[in-house]
Amino acid sequence: MKMKNLEKFSGAIKRCVAIAMASMLFATTGFSLDTHPVKAQEVSSSADKIEIPEISKDAFKKYKKISGIGANTILGADFTYYQQCLEWGKSYKNYMSQSVDNIFDYVKSQGINTISLKVAVNPTGENAYLSLENAIKTLKAVKASNTNLKTNLVLLYSDEITYAGTQNLPADWEKAEKEEQSVTRVESAKTYTRETIAKLKQANVLPDIVTIGNEVNWNFLGITDGEGWEGWKAMGDISALLKKEGVKNAVSIAAQPDAASVKYIVQKLGYASVDYDYIGVNVYPDNNTNSYIKSLKNEVESCAPDKQLIVSNVEYERVNEANTANVYTQADSIYNLLEATIDEKNGMLPFR
């Protein structure tokens, strides 16, 4: 399932903003959540009007601090589009429409503790924003900000964004596999991982976490035979490479229809010796999202108590039931998700 496409909106609201920003005013630390940014020129298209938020520093006092949030949890924002935003000359503003001079200082002050970036193998055209070069620029900017923000690099192992049913192999890997029988997609993936880590080390921006794949659904690297067993094994080999570099691992899986199914995925990861610290799930919200994530968290705790569940991506509409766009719409949605799923067990693995 692909992210819902949002039509372009022209006007004063053309600002590059992360969905989470309006909601961070109620949290002082993090939760295992990573929000997906709206493109710089995009706002939800179906709104009849844009509602001006309450211009007051007290506007978000209605949100009580959520118990269970601790220093070991993760609250992330996806900055994959950041370099593209800079190229377009977009600027950042807070919920009171005040200019934000340093976006990294700002998100840190609002509770964000982790910046996430997605990277494709050889992205071109409209996917060019997914380049490793862009990610390195952003990682350098995060480091230069001296905010101590952690970083999570999501390796897509594709030339484009991957989804549950779409794990397209990079064009060059597919060609090499067809033309040279000795070159397998698994070998290409391991070589790519080594080369990427080398480039990150050379730039002195090795991330705190590397996520292996995005929204994998028994089909990592497009491998589906035997419930994707060779794909799970490839994840194990890649995790071993990353651990040697001292990088924490995460795996990003597709949300299964039944939360209990995560047990079978955890089992596969164990059989394949995937040495991961975090298991992330991408969420496409509906009326059952909060209860589903709570069930999913309980299932992970029951079968993998040493792992931490992360909502690795979530995108909420900016339009409320009155067909009006404002900062509170997403703030309410994200707050309710946090409140429904956080407890003291949520944060298990501290960053060091």
Side-chain angles (χ1 to χ4, degrees), residues 31-286:
F31 167 55
S32 300
L33 175 71
D34 193 10
T35 53
H36 185 80
V38 176
K39 285 187 179 180
Q41 83 281 24
E42 294 176 342
V43 183
S44 187
S45 62
S46 58
D48 289 335
K49 62 180 180 178
I50 304 298
E51 184 174 304
I52 302 300
E54 181 182 345
I55 306 302
S56 168
K57 64 181 180 180
D58 297 327
F60 284 82
K61 278 190 173 181
K62 67 174 183 175
Y63 300 109
K64 297 179 181 178
K65 184 176 179 180
I66 300 171
S67 62
I69 296 178
N72 296 342
T73 52
I74 299 172
L75 185 57
D78 190 325
F79 268 61
T80 304
Y81 287 107
Y82 181 64
Q83 294 302 320
Q84 188 179 70
C85 290
L86 294 180
E87 290 175 9
W88 287 342
K90 303 303 174 180
S91 61
Y92 291 92
K93 295 188 178 182
N94 65 16
Y95 76 101
M96 294 190 294
S97 296
Q98 298 169 329
S99 295
V100 173
D101 294 328
N102 187 308
I103 188 60
F104 301 110
D105 284 341
Y106 179 72
V107 296
K108 180 65 180 288
S109 73
Q110 302 307 308
I112 293 289
N113 58 25
T114 306
I115 298 299
S116 183
L117 300 160
K118 293 183 177 66
V119 172
V121 177
N122 185 30
T124 58
E126 64 180 14
N127 293 314
Y129 70 97
L130 293 166
S131 71
L132 178 61
E133 291 73 22
N134 277 346
I136 287 176
K137 289 178 183 178
T138 301
L139 289 169
K140 285 183 176 180
V142 173
K143 188 172 184 177
S145 70
N146 293 317
T147 55
N148 292 318
L149 284 164
K150 303 300 181 181
T151 51
N152 171 32
L153 196 70
V154 181
L155 298 182
L156 300 170
Y157 295 95
S158 177
D159 292 336
E160 60 191 9
I161 291 286
T162 55
Y163 301 97
T166 307
Q167 299 278 325
N168 291 331
L169 202 65
D172 289 347
W173 298 6
E174 193 170 20
K175 182 179 178 181
E177 191 173 48
K178 289 179 179 178
E179 294 180 354
E180 302 179 41
Q181 296 297 321
S182 62
V183 180
T184 68
R185 61 189 65 193
V186 172
E187 290 170 341
S188 294
K190 290 192 287 186
T191 298
Y192 164 73
T193 303
R194 292 190 192 96
E195 292 175 349
T196 299
I197 293 300
K199 291 177 182 178
L200 292 166
K201 290 176 69 176
Q202 184 176 18
N204 195 28
V205 289
L206 194 64
D208 299 280
I209 305 170
V210 170
T211 297
I212 304 170
N214 179 66
E215 207 166 311
V216 175
N217 191 28
W218 310 82
N219 57 356
F220 184 58
L221 302 178
I223 300 171
T224 57
D225 295 341
E227 294 187 333
W229 174 242
E230 294 300 323
W232 299 120
K233 285 177 59 181
M235 280 188 162
D237 292 343
I238 291 169
S239 71
L241 292 174
L242 295 172
K243 285 292 182 173
K244 286 182 180 178
E245 300 294 343
V247 179
K248 289 186 175 181
N249 288 201
V251 293
S252 173
I253 63 171
Q256 302 299 304
D258 179 7
S261 296
V262 74
K263 290 182 178 180
Y264 300 102
I265 293 177
V266 169
Q267 186 180 61
K268 290 288 184 183
L269 292 170
Y271 289 159
S273 300
V274 184
D275 191 4
Y276 65 101
D277 301 290
Y278 309 97
I279 182 166
V281 60
N282 288 4
V283 176
Y284 299 89
D286 58 27

Side-chain angles (χ1 to χ4, degrees), residues 297-314:
K297 179 174 66 67
N298 290 337
E299 295 290 352
V300 171
E301 288 176 357
S302 70
C303 63
D306 60 331
K307 310 301 180 185
Q308 183 174 341
L309 175 68
I310 297 174
V311 178
S312 47
N313 266 130
V314 62

Side-chain angles (χ1 to χ4, degrees), residues 301-339:
E301 288 176 357
S302 70
C303 63
D306 60 331
K307 310 301 180 185
Q308 183 174 341
L309 175 68
I310 297 174
V311 178
S312 47
N313 266 130
V314 62
E315 181 179 49
Y316 283 106
E317 281 279 6
R318 292 186 64 185
V319 178
N320 60 22
E321 293 179 356
N323 208 31
T324 298
N326 63 35
V327 297
Y328 298 103
T329 303
Q330 290 167 340
D332 285 345
S333 297
I334 295 176
Y335 180 84
N336 290 336
L337 176 61
L338 298 176
E339 190 175 45

